[in-house]
Amino acid sequence: LVCGSGGVKISADHCSNTGLFRVRKEGAAARTQSQSQTAPTSVFGLSPCGSGGDAAELLSLGCLASGYFPADSVTFKWTDAGGNSVSDFLQYPSVKSGATYSAVSQLQVKAADFGGEKSYKCTAVYPGGQKTEEVKPTPVPPQKSCLNVILKNPRAKELFNEKEAVLECVVTGENEADVHNATITWKVNSAEKKGTDQKESNPLRKSSLLSIRADEKNINLFIKDFWLFTYLSSCVFVYQPLVTDFSNPDVSIFAPRDQNVKRNDKKWLQLVCLVNVSFGSDVYVAWKKGEGSYEEGLTGEPVKTGSFNFVTSIFSISRDDWDKGINFSCAAAHSFLKSNESPISKSTSKSHGNSFECPTEIS
């Protein structure tokens, strides 16, 4: 309904039994509404992560205004780094959130026009004022190559001889400078421990050793200046055994075969020790003659079979010692040997024979 020459338009925006109407006067500065206008509470720019690899690539910039009322009270405008107005942009419809509205404007620019000192300004215009936000390129963190970190299980040799767990941390990477600048520190039960950096001939490898009591737990490893693809400034590695469900090694010892013992030309005989240990565990094999000290034999590299490693060790003895009936023992320690545990040991002598019967071919 239009009444009189004043151009007052009365529109039935809402009708009820009370006969209420909203009154709007067009062409005049004053406005009567059921709710007052609210300026945007925030305006901020949205820029892409990084920059385009191609100068001609199009990048999308955004501007978000939120917290205003009513829905059609905000419009956008853009200017480039030189202050020139940019008209080729999009303004999406307002979206209601609670009692207020939000809107987004999008501008596409060439990668060559955005970066370094080049930026754009977005202005949200509303009745009674405006808010301007500069849209700048997002800083990209310095690119660092990814480092590989391996925390090895305790070495069985030190567990056997010294009752100490020697852990080794190995850091490798493709960038020599990144590997060189990486530093390794250790913590045991929240107490910092000093490791020993190892001399490496390979510039793409760095390692550190830590010796602790075999019964200490909760080994934490900190790699400083270590960056992942997500560019974290530091990473924490909690030591856990590579094998959590493990069993003690199976140890078997084999005596020389009778035909070898009977040959008068053989002054030296060989004993063979076969150790079966869980895969992922280091193993150390040592031999003992009578009540003497342990010594090393000739031990081969582990051979993986299924979920186990088989290790073979050969120990040379004199015919005289064998004929005298001296007892010989083979003992094996693994990576998870506790401080109160003894290595698994099997013995043999001329009178006892093999720890279990299985023919061996030793010449």
Side-chain angles (χ1 to χ4, degrees):
L1 301 177
V2 179
C3 304
S5 60
V8 177
K9 180 179 180 181
I10 303 175
S11 59
D13 287 344
H14 175 71
C15 298
S16 66
N17 293 333
T18 60
L20 296 178
F21 292 90
R22 178 176 296 172
V23 179
R24 183 181 302 138
K25 184 175 182 180
E26 296 180 343
R31 177 179 291 180
T32 304
Q33 294 182 344
S34 60
Q35 183 174 344
S36 61
Q37 290 180 340
T38 302
T41 57
S42 66
V43 176
F44 62 92
L46 307 171
S47 60
C49 294
S51 59
D54 185 353
E57 180 183 350
L58 291 179
L59 303 178
S60 293
L61 312 184
C63 189
L64 172 65
S66 59
Y68 61 86
F69 184 90
D72 57 354
S73 61
V74 169
T75 58
F76 293 92
K77 64 180 182 180
W78 288 84
T79 56
D80 61 19
N84 303 310
S85 178
V86 181
S87 59
D88 188 16
F89 64 88
L90 297 175
Q91 178 170 337
Y92 294 96
S94 298
V95 177
K96 190 173 184 181
S97 176
T100 60
Y101 289 86
S102 299
V104 173
S105 177
Q106 180 184 355
L107 173 67
Q108 285 196 319
V109 300
K110 292 182 178 180
D113 298 330
F114 186 73
E117 299 298 324
K118 298 178 181 179
S119 63
Y120 285 78
K121 289 184 179 180
C122 164
T123 301
V125 182
Y126 52 90
Q130 63 182 29
K131 292 183 178 181
T132 301
E133 180 73 14
E134 186 175 11
V135 183
K136 300 179 180 180
T138 302
V140 178
Q143 297 285 336
K144 287 194 175 184
S145 61
C146 186
L147 300 177
N148 299 313
V149 180
I150 298 176
L151 182 57
K152 294 185 177 181
N153 283 320
R155 302 196 310 204
K157 182 176 180 179
E158 285 79 7
L159 285 173
F160 185 97
N161 294 322
E162 309 295 339
K163 293 295 184 181
E164 280 189 337
V166 178
L167 302 175
E168 181 180 15
C169 168
V170 178
V171 179
T172 58
E174 298 179 354
N175 186 286
E176 184 175 333
D178 290 342
V179 174
H180 175 76
N181 293 329
T183 57
I184 305 172
T185 58
W186 302 79
K187 283 192 175 182
V188 178
N189 296 326
S190 300
E192 188 166 322
K193 297 282 187 177
K194 182 174 178 58
T196 304
D197 291 338
Q198 303 299 293
K199 292 183 179 180
E200 299 286 352
S201 58
N202 183 357
L204 299 179
R205 188 181 191 273
K206 174 175 283 190
S207 63
S208 175
L209 296 181
L210 177 68
S211 298
I212 60 173
R213 296 192 310 274
D215 57 348
E216 280 186 297
K217 305 296 182 183
N218 190 26
I219 312 302
N220 292 327
L221 168 65
F222 291 79
I223 307 295
K224 296 180 179 179
D225 299 328
F226 172 75
W227 288 61
L228 287 174
F229 292 114
T230 51
Y231 303 109
L232 298 174
S233 60
S234 63
C235 295
V236 179
F237 294 83
V238 179
Y239 166 72
Q240 293 180 340
L242 296 179
V243 179
T244 55
D245 182 16
F246 60 88
S247 56
N248 287 326
D250 289 329
V251 179
S252 303
I253 188 170
F254 305 102
R257 297 192 66 180
D258 289 342
Q259 58 265 39
N260 292 329
V261 175
K262 294 176 180 178
R263 289 173 53 182
N264 295 326
D265 60 331
K266 295 186 69 67
K267 295 183 178 180
W268 294 91
L269 306 175
Q270 286 78 38
L271 302 178
V272 177
C273 187
L274 180 64
V275 180
N276 181 3
V277 66
S278 299
F279 178 70
S281 172
D282 186 29
V283 63
Y284 176 72
V285 181
W287 294 83
K288 183 167 68 171
K289 171 185 171 182
E291 298 300 323
S293 301
Y294 279 105
E295 54 185 301
E296 295 183 3
L298 180 61
T299 303
E301 293 294 325
V303 177
K304 185 178 184 300
T305 303
S307 59
F308 294 92
N309 277 340
F310 286 90
V311 177
T312 302
S313 182
I314 299 175
F315 189 61
S316 295
I317 63 173
S318 70
R319 173 189 289 273
D320 290 342
D321 288 338
W322 181 255
D323 290 339
K324 291 177 183 177
I326 295 178
N327 193 65
F328 294 91
S329 302
C330 168
H334 56 95
S335 295
F336 313 108
L337 186 69
K338 297 180 181 179
S339 59
N340 59 349
E341 292 180 342
S342 298
I344 306 301
S345 177
K346 290 292 177 67
S347 300
T348 188
S349 66
K350 186 175 182 178
S351 58
H352 292 141
N354 292 335
S355 61
F356 76 88
E357 295 299 326
C358 183
T360 58
E361 292 293 340
I362 300 295
S363 59

